[in-house]
Amino acid sequence: MIHKFLTSHISLNIALWIVAFLFFIRLFIPRTHIFYIPDYAISDLFNVNYALKDYLSQSLKINSLPFISPLESHGYPLLAESQIGALSLFNMLLYRFLPTELAFNLTYPISLGILGTGMYILTTLFSKRKDIAFFCAVTYMFSGIVLYEIVHQGIFQAIAFIPITTYFLFGGIQNNSIKYMVFAGFMAAQQFLFGHFFVSMAQQLLVLVCFLYLVYRNKMGFRLFLLFFWYGLIFVLISLPQLVQSAIFTIESSRQGAITRGIF
């Protein structure tokens, strides 16, 4: 169904992706540039995001994952530092097959394109007009909450998956479809694996609100619990390897900044 829908709206979706790549064109032309904010000495993007992604890329290219390394925290597992995003399928594909700087830069337009397409198809659940859906997609792509998070690539990636995850969630409820809920759980798990959990937790609050509302309205009966069971199962199974390691890191770490028991 989603394939047929995108085929019938292919020109507008292609336009969204062209806009996304044009917006970030200076990262690639006339030569490759790495985006970072002026405080390069302490910038998370330059010193954490890119550094971790470079190590991930080196590991994946030798068919390995960065479980243990003497390069950080006396051999503590780098996978437990969630911002590395090592278990995300999105990151695995980019950093396994492309140079680090190209994969890092491509993350921006690809994420923006996913966000635009997701918002477009989400809008069509409520309006059949293509112009309205396109307008909603473009305005969300270039909204303050999205562009403000360019400085944190993991957050930017997680935000990009909000519309597409919500689309499959609402589509699953509307169509009483387990397949849609499985897709929603998969997308939500990928969002979690980008490494900034509070965005994912906000998404799960939306899921909880939807579930409680439908229970209150006494909609769908047992089928409702079955739909959300499959969503939750897929989400937990895919997220669990990262969740367990990050939980251990939180408990054992002496850090008082980015990760603490309270924030986790």
Side-chain angles (χ1 to χ4, degrees), residues 1 19 21 27-28 33 49 62 75 99 103 129 131 142 156 161 216 230 235 257-258 261:
M1 183 176 179
V19 169
F21 272 88
L27 294 179
F28 308 95
H33 295 80
N49 297 163
I62 58 171
R129 290 184 54 178
D131 56 341
F142 297 101
F156 189 70
F161 272 64
Y216 172 75
W230 279 105
F235 173 73
R261 288 180 179 82

Side-chain angles (χ1 to χ4, degrees), residues 1-228:
M1 183 176 179
I2 184 68
H3 172 71
K4 292 181 180 178
F5 174 86
L6 290 177
T7 301
S8 63
H9 294 74
I10 191 169
S11 59
L12 290 178
N13 278 281
I14 289 175
L16 290 173
W17 281 80
I18 290 174
V19 169
F21 272 88
L22 287 177
F23 184 76
F24 287 107
I25 195 65
R26 289 192 62 192
L27 294 179
F28 308 95
I29 298 175
R31 59 184 178 85
T32 303
H33 295 80
I34 300 298
F35 168 82
Y36 60 91
I37 55 179
D39 59 331
Y40 63 90
I42 59 174
S43 167
D44 277 355
L45 191 145
F46 192 73
N47 294 288
V48 179
N49 297 163
Y50 189 84
L52 289 174
K53 292 298 191 297
D54 184 54
Y55 187 74
L56 173 63
S57 180
Q58 293 178 39
S59 299
L60 291 176
K61 284 178 172 58
I62 58 171
N63 301 314
S64 178
L65 280 172
F67 287 106
I68 300 295
S69 168
L71 303 178
E72 183 171 313
S73 299
H74 306 288
Y76 199 86
L78 282 174
L79 286 180
E81 170 54 88
S82 62
Q83 291 187 73
I84 196 171
L87 299 177
S88 161
L89 182 61
F90 182 100
N91 288 335
M92 281 186 176
L93 291 174
L94 280 181
Y95 289 96
R96 170 64 178 84
F97 298 105
L98 297 175
T100 303
E101 63 275 12
L102 180 57
F104 192 80
N105 281 355
L106 280 174
T107 294
Y108 292 109
I110 291 176
S111 297
L112 197 62
I114 291 172
L115 185 145
T117 294
M119 192 63 187
Y120 183 91
I121 62 176
L122 176 61
T123 304
T124 59
L125 289 179
F126 310 99
S127 172
K128 300 302 180 183
R129 290 184 54 178
K130 295 181 181 181
D131 56 341
I132 291 177
F134 187 80
F135 175 78
C136 288
V138 171
T139 52
Y140 188 48
M141 288 169 69
F142 297 101
S143 63
I145 187 60
V146 173
L147 297 186
Y148 179 77
E149 297 301 349
I150 290 177
V151 297
H152 285 283
Q153 195 179 81
I155 302 178
F156 189 70
Q157 290 176 293
I159 288 176
F161 272 64
I162 291 175
I164 191 70
T165 303
T166 307
Y167 168 79
F168 282 115
L169 175 67
F170 287 175
I173 295 170
Q174 285 187 5
N175 298 296
N176 194 17
S177 170
I178 290 177
K179 181 172 67 174
Y180 267 61
M181 297 302 279
V182 168
F183 276 125
F186 175 80
M187 293 296 179
Q190 294 305 310
Q191 182 187 60
F192 180 87
L193 294 175
F194 287 133
H196 282 273
F197 300 148
F198 58 85
V199 178
S200 179
M201 291 304 101
Q203 183 85 55
Q204 302 323 304
L205 282 176
L206 169 65
V207 175
L208 178 61
V209 168
C210 289
F211 175 74
L212 293 176
Y213 174 76
L214 292 171
V215 170
Y216 172 75
R217 292 292 302 272
N218 195 26
K219 297 285 188 180
M220 303 169 71
F222 175 75
R223 184 68 176 183
L224 172 67
F225 290 89
L226 186 61
L227 290 175
F228 279 87

